[in-house]
Amino acid sequence: MSEAAVAEGVSTYKVTDGVAVLAIDSPPVNALGYSVRVALDEGISRAVADDAAKALIIRCDGRTFFAGADISEFGGELRKPDLNDIFLAIEASAKPVVAAIHGTALGGGFELALACHYRVAVASAKVGLPEVSLGLLPGAGGTQRTPRIAGVETALELIVGGRPLGAAKAQKTGLIDEIIEGDLEAGAVAYARKLVEEGAPLRRVRDMSVDLDPEAAKAAIEAYRAAHKRDFRGFKAPGNIVKAIEAAATLPFDEGLKREWELFEELMSSSESIAQRHLFFAERTAGKIPVARDVKPLVVASVAVIGAGTMGSGIATAFLNAGVPVTLVDRDEAAVERGAGGIRKTFAGLVAKGRITEAEGDRRSGLLTTSTDLASAVAPVDLVMEAVFEDIDLKKTVFAQIDAAAKQGAILASNTSFLDLDRIAAATSRPEWVIGLHFFAPANIMRLLEVVRGAKTSDPVIATGMAIGRQLGKIAVLSGVCDGFIANRAMTPRMSSAEALVLEGPTPAQVDKAINDYGFAMGPFQMIDLVGLDVIGWDRENSAGRTVQEVLCEMDRWGQKKNGGYYDYDEARRASPSPVAEKVIRDFAEKTGVPQRSFTDAEIVERLLYPVVNEGARIVEEGIALRASDVDVALVTGYGWPVWTGGPMCWADSVGLPKIVAALDEIIGPDAVSPLLRKLAAEGGSLT
Ligand code: T1G
């Protein structure tokens, strides 16, 4: 098929009032894949040669202007014409070329707009260069053109930060020339006609100069680097972006473009970018569940949250943030008021930080009501969200009460983090309406929502659970029923391996440092001290000094909240290695006759994280998770697994499954190694 034919169906071309309009239509987001680039190349050439056209508008059909290069093409051969070929054609045009933007002009899409002579947009449009979130940088002139229009410091914020700008803010920086009211195409055509009538210059961004001279630019860049050192940790892209912007300020345009491409290619092949591109698609794939496409989610327009504690209040906040009215319920008046007060304080904090307006804060608080009467509170709502203490008998009692009062068609959800959802569902007359919605603390912040399907949960309720994730701006991952579902279960071996390892020689601080250096904000001992040694798996009634954790708990060392734990803490809760805890560990090791030796950081990482990979593989082979990439999404968004590794399963593939299986045979014994992991290792397969 000719390339022209390939382009067919992707573009339309017409001339209106002497202005050519080239419209691209390539769902879902007009990504700049090969056929789109061919259509653009042909359309621009046609307009340039068309005497009836005095100017050219480039726009898109569908929901958005070009949302970037086609990420699915990365790693393969990038067929010509490439973006720079197209941008050169635009800049060579003797007629003004205007980008008409709606939706989200991102990455290569916004770079195309920057290569145009002028840019117009509807007020609701957003523009941005989010390549940093893919471990990349704008590789088609974005780091060279942005500072020429908006200045070095705005370019640093926009490109290293990666967050899009609304049209109004973009106009203030000069990145957008005009906001179009009403129909975008008509407005853009009128704008282009005015350019022609007024003889407006063919303003090529490449001919513009950066706002700072080289020395001032270098100083600004150094200051930015210093101020953001911590944010860059573990990632390569931010550093390369800063170098590319420095090139824009110190080199002629074409040399800067060349430097930008060198820095881009470094990133494209980096493990960090491969990992971050994996997560981009993994987050979207997580939403693809084995429920018939014609099964529509139910509407959730009102919620009752049962339990006004930390989780209940956080969950209520998440719904209020999404504009969903909430009734917060607790048996105890003081508890429900405490919960509501905490929610209102959260909104006040967001207002104080300028994150939301005062009116928005008031609106969200206005959606909150409280009640101590469960029956009347749950009767009218679409979703009842249980968040009471993790005790199966209490949850069964509460679900029986909910079942007696909730309307037919209401969804009954539990926030349980490890109890058997099927036993909770069995306490009701409608188990097909019961689902797990497992939030991670703080529930209004953490992006992960585990949607737990019980044996009898119906497809519409499962589909609604996933839709609630999107409604709350979270990443929903579907889980089967097991102890700990996906994230908590997969991460359990990290703690148990750490507790076993310190008996062999390393200190808690050495273990935590190795895990911090791998990329976790908190190591296992830092985390358990924060959560509380008494909270995770301590059986108070039967405690008998059988483990270091029991010994410490029996000594009233419960962590940060009480006398320290594996660390000692000063009054400002600053941690220091604890001689007391160290002695407990050493004595326990001696008593149990554990051979002592030193460990390298690499050995510590293997001992703690390979068993997590193994547990993740078991979660997949048991069908608890639909796919390995779901385990990655759950641990990255629920436990802060370092993004630049792609998650445990993606990381395992990069380490090499045969190496991991061989190590696990030693660490946990051959019988404990996941058969799926062993099979993939033997066949040269991969988890993701
Ligand atoms: N390439 C390929 N597919 C993409 C895509 C892209 N750039 N963006 C989205 N999709 C797919 C996505 O996988 C999903 O597919 C569907 O579109 C809907 O996406 C040279 C190198 C635009 C804000 O980083 O931020 O340009 O699951 O579910 O929530 O310098 O998609 O339906 O099969 O996210 O409405 C830079 C990435 C690329 C933008 C829409 N651009 N996309 O959000 O829908 S690198 C980006 C987004 C680049 C240049 C560099 C969002 C969105 P499926 P969705 P959404």
Side-chain angles (χ1 to χ4, degrees), residues 68-69 107 133 255 276 281 304 327 353 385 455 513 626 631:
S133 62
E255 286 178 45
Q276 288 175 261
F281 287 114
T327 301
K353 288 180 204 153
M385 184 70 237
K513 182 182 178 307
L626 292 174
V631 178

